[in-house]
Amino acid sequence: MNLLPLPAFSDNYIWMLHDAGQALVIDPGDAAPVLQALDRLGLQLQAILVTHHHSDHVGGIAALCAATGATVYGPAREAMPAGTLPLHGGQQVKALGLSFAVLDVPGHTAGHIAYYANVPEQAPLLFCGDTLFSGGCGRLFEGTPAQMLASLDALAALPTDTRVCCAHEYTLSNLQFARTVEPDNAELAQYQQQCQALRAQQQPTLPSHIGLEQQINPFLRCRVPAVAAAAQAQAPSSCLNPDDAVAVLATLREWKNNF
């Protein structure tokens, strides 16, 4: 299996997975990069997997379906383009000979889903849309801090070698914030240097992997004393209970919103 991040807009990635004949894509907000890649590589588009309803994730679906006849799958609890097959957490999607487990991960949006697959002789894959980013998480546009914490906990429990394929190149800004939260985190400092070198060469920082995110992502580390203490220092009147992971996440997210 070949995994490609197709850049779109200013900082989106449309992920393409292919076996040199058939392909699937995740969250195609723009049809043009997908059609160009299909033509360049001589691929047929079999399926489109959608994580949530935002326009930069669904805007290219109609044109891709018209051009390729691909089957579209998306969250059952969100408004999706006509013809999308609705999915709930716990279901499976079969594509490219793989079985993708559907995970409910609300928070960024109310019905956000993610897709997880074991890949023979390769590390597992997670297509997580805008729920989990490298070094960060999505804004809470529709969901609650408790929902986001539960979603991130579920993703953090996946095998540590799982490749994290998120939908935006936000890594450097996320790591700048993460270093403010945990200035003494050596793994985080090293990862920031690696990512800065990649972006200097105009290379993606993604995919990340779950084991790394457990070490460097403050939103997966809400129960780590140093992270909770940093959030407590930011809370109004320092009234936050550092043992309340939901409150820690809510404070971190509001802090990041204004960072």
Side-chain angles (χ1 to χ4, degrees), residues 106-170:
H108 179 65
T109 63
H112 201 301
I113 61 176
Y115 301 87
Y116 171 84
N118 287 303
V119 183
E121 300 181 4
Q122 295 182 21
L125 283 168
L126 172 68
F127 298 109
C128 51
D130 289 358
T131 297
L132 173 64
F133 296 121
S134 187
C137 74
R139 287 178 180 259
L140 300 177
F141 287 125
E142 299 171 11
T144 66
Q147 286 178 318
M148 180 61 87
L149 180 66
S151 296
L152 294 176
D153 282 348
L155 298 182
L158 294 172
T160 56
D161 63 340
T162 300
R163 289 172 283 174
V164 177
C165 304
C166 37
H168 290 273
E169 183 57 77
Y170 289 164

